[in-house]
Amino acid sequence: MKNKKRLLILGAGRGQLGLYKAARELGITTIAGTMPHYHKPCIDLSDEVCYMDISNPDEVLEKAKKLNLDGAETCCLDTGISSRGKVCDNLNLIGLTEYSAKMCNDKSIMKKAFLENNVNTAKYFEISSKEELEKALEIIQLPVIIKATDLQGSNGIYIAKSKSEAISGFIQAMEKTKRDYCIVEEYIEGWEFGAQSFVYNGEILFVMAHGDETYMSHTAVPVGHYVPLDVDNQISEKIDKEVKKAIRALKLDNCAVNVDMILRDGEVYLIELTGRVGANCLPELVEINFGVEYYKMIATMAVGENPLVYWEKRINKNKAGLARMIIEERNSGVINEIKNKNESYDYIREITFFKSKGDEINKFENSTDCIGQVIVEGNSLENCEDNMDKVISNIKIDIKC
């Protein structure tokens, strides 16, 4: 880059590591926007730190005004989406608008936009009381899903197979949300999967469908992802069509996009999407699949440069990739030892541990309980599965309960 650009990255947790590394390689000055409560892994990679509550758009904007920024970005995290939109709008930076960001951060507004734009999605009702829930249940048959509208991941989401479970889920969702409402929607039982996309200057560059591996806690929690998704051309075309409709419904532009979907009886339903790249190794799977430096595409666009210089270098034949969390399914305790006997094989993209000896870990319930992650690549998904089995078999974690 001709001039050293300044990029505010909202968040400094493990999910943002790839973005900080890419920005550093590009010669971009990074400012970590984060709370000061505890050490974050990206602090050591950042050039500057500006302490802020990234969930508070007004606070973030006031501090951003003093940073002489060329861009603001986040990845793998919903918390800073609204703040990024406000900063981009007010400082005339490249990125999704505050209008689009607000729809990404409110599942109820998002669902309304879906329905207004003929996006195929589950029936839903916005509810603020048990009475409204009971009226909704007269129209939407059990089972249903109760969702807090402002939380990310699986937090505040409850599957209910009975009226009592629905009421319990409603109470728990309302305890967690900052809003005075949540939503109840029909439970579409089918095959859950996702997609990554990228929008630049109004053009949707790609829609990359990917498979999701889930672990059942209070809801299905993603613990792994893979490409390619094994579907026929007809389903692939429906995925592409629904994702593009949803992107336009939320007026997303100049951002990466993360999409959650479900397939039932040959029909594709949109669950939700947001204007940032997906978490848990999805950026790396985009890189494997297309052979591009995806984090650099994201960082480059954020500071007002042309990301197409990376996209134009994509490979002709897409590769397969598989990413999986290292989790503890049985016990909580303290890590006594981690042994990794793997060598540097070509098919191993990454082995990363987020915990070390002496750290407390929980029996897995959500992504914060993740011990580490493994990413492998190969010529086919079956090849990736074989490679993953080899890697996992060489990792031993001793836990003292």
Side-chain angles (χ1 to χ4, degrees):
M1 295 185 179
K2 295 179 181 179
N3 300 310
K4 199 167 178 70
K5 302 280 188 167
R6 292 175 58 80
L7 176 64
L8 171 64
I9 299 180
L10 299 170
R14 65 178 178 85
Q16 290 77 54
L17 281 167
L19 186 58
Y20 280 89
K21 291 176 181 177
R24 170 171 281 191
E25 290 176 12
L26 289 167
I28 296 172
T29 296
T30 56
I31 302 97
T34 186
M35 297 288 281
H37 297 319
Y38 58 92
H39 178 73
K40 302 287 183 66
C42 295
I43 295 297
D44 295 337
L45 286 173
S46 66
D47 297 293
E48 302 172 22
V49 179
C50 182
Y51 290 116
M52 59 179 68
D53 178 359
I54 66 171
S55 68
N56 185 328
D58 292 330
E59 177 186 335
V60 173
L61 177 60
E62 285 307 305
K63 294 190 175 182
K65 288 177 179 177
K66 304 172 185 177
L67 296 174
N68 190 29
L69 297 175
D70 296 288
E73 185 57 274
T74 189
C75 71
C76 309
L77 182 71
D78 286 335
T79 309
I81 290 289
S82 289
S83 295
R84 184 194 176 209
K86 193 175 188 75
V87 169
C88 288
D89 276 5
N90 283 271
L91 301 187
N92 197 29
L93 303 176
I94 296 294
L96 83 169
T97 64
E98 185 177 9
Y99 171 83
S100 295
K102 284 182 177 178
M103 286 199 286
C104 290
N105 267 352
D106 190 319
K107 293 179 175 67
S108 183
I109 298 175
M110 181 189 300
K111 294 281 287 187
K112 183 179 179 181
F114 284 173
L115 295 176
E116 289 176 346
N117 290 273
N118 298 314
V119 178
N120 205 19
T121 192
K123 297 175 184 177
Y124 86 105
F125 287 93
E126 186 178 293
I127 53 174
S128 301
S129 66
K130 292 180 185 178
E131 290 74 21
E132 290 180 352
L133 171 61
E134 290 175 355
K135 288 181 180 179
L137 292 177
E138 293 175 3
I139 300 172
I140 302 177
Q141 294 183 346
L142 291 163
V144 296
I145 301 181
I146 311 293
K147 294 181 178 180
T149 66
D150 56 342
L151 303 178
Q152 63 178 325
S154 57
N155 194 19
I157 298 178
Y158 304 92
I159 298 173
K161 298 180 180 180
S162 65
K163 183 177 178 180
S164 62
E165 288 182 352
I167 292 172
S168 175
F170 168 75
I171 292 171
Q172 292 180 77
M174 293 302 290
E175 287 175 348
K176 291 187 174 184
T177 184
K178 293 180 181 178
R179 302 193 172 115
D180 60 1
Y181 58 87
C182 63
I183 62 173
V184 54
E185 66 179 38
E186 65 174 325
Y187 176 64
I188 298 177
E189 189 170 6
W191 181 33
E192 292 190 34
F193 63 100
Q196 300 301 296
S197 188
F198 191 87
V199 195
Y200 177 59
N201 284 347
E203 181 184 359
I204 300 171
L205 297 187
F206 66 85
V207 174
M208 185 196 83
H210 55 78
D212 297 342
E213 297 181 342
T214 59
Y215 179 87
M216 183 54 68
S217 180
H218 54 84
T219 188
V221 182
V223 294
H225 302 289
Y226 58 87
V227 287
L229 189 70
D230 185 18
V231 293
D232 61 34
N233 289 337
Q234 185 177 18
I235 297 299
S236 182
E237 289 173 2
K238 288 182 179 181
I239 292 169
D240 190 78
K241 179 181 177 181
E242 294 301 324
V243 170
K244 288 179 177 177
K245 283 197 296 182
I247 287 172
R248 293 182 179 118
L250 270 58
K251 296 180 170 54
L252 295 175
D253 197 7
N254 296 319
C255 62
V257 182
N258 180 57
V259 191
D260 294 326
M261 291 173 282
I262 194 163
L263 178 68
R264 182 182 71 180
D265 299 331
E267 294 299 324
V268 174
Y269 296 84
L270 258 289
I271 300 173
E272 62 185 58
L273 77 164
T274 188
R276 50 86 176 165
V277 70
N280 300 323
C281 307
L282 284 168
E284 287 80 3
L285 289 184
V286 173
E287 294 190 338
I288 290 171
N289 187 63
F290 292 115
V292 297
E293 295 179 284
Y294 196 43
Y295 283 114
K296 289 185 179 179
M297 278 182 66
I298 294 169
T300 297
M301 181 175 63
V303 295
E305 300 286 342
N306 185 2
L308 297 180
V309 297
Y310 296 99
W311 180 240
E312 289 166 355
K313 296 177 182 179
R314 63 192 182 277
I315 56 179
N316 293 324
K317 184 177 180 181
N318 297 345
K319 293 189 68 176
L322 172 61
R324 189 172 292 161
M325 287 184 185
I326 302 171
I327 64 175
E328 172 55 40
E329 299 182 47
R330 298 167 297 176
N331 303 302
S332 298
V334 176
I335 294 178
N336 188 46
E337 188 176 26
I338 296 177
K339 291 182 179 180
N340 176 22
K341 297 181 180 179
N342 288 287
E343 299 179 14
S344 298
Y345 298 111
D346 290 341
Y347 58 78
I348 298 177
R349 172 64 180 262
E350 178 184 322
I351 301 175
T352 303
F353 295 99
F354 307 119
K355 305 288 186 180
S356 57
K357 182 177 180 179
D359 286 344
E360 292 185 6
I361 61 166
N362 298 318
K363 178 183 174 182
F364 187 81
E365 289 188 359
N366 57 58
S367 60
T368 60
D369 299 323
C370 176
I371 298 172
Q373 64 189 27
V374 176
I375 308 172
V376 298
E377 54 187 87
N379 298 320
S380 66
L381 185 56
E382 292 76 13
N383 182 213
C384 288
E385 290 280 4
D386 290 340
N387 292 338
M388 180 65 73
D389 289 342
K390 294 173 187 175
V391 174
I392 294 297
S393 68
N394 284 324
I395 297 174
K396 305 297 181 184
I397 301 174
D398 180 35
I399 298 170
K400 184 178 180 180
C401 300

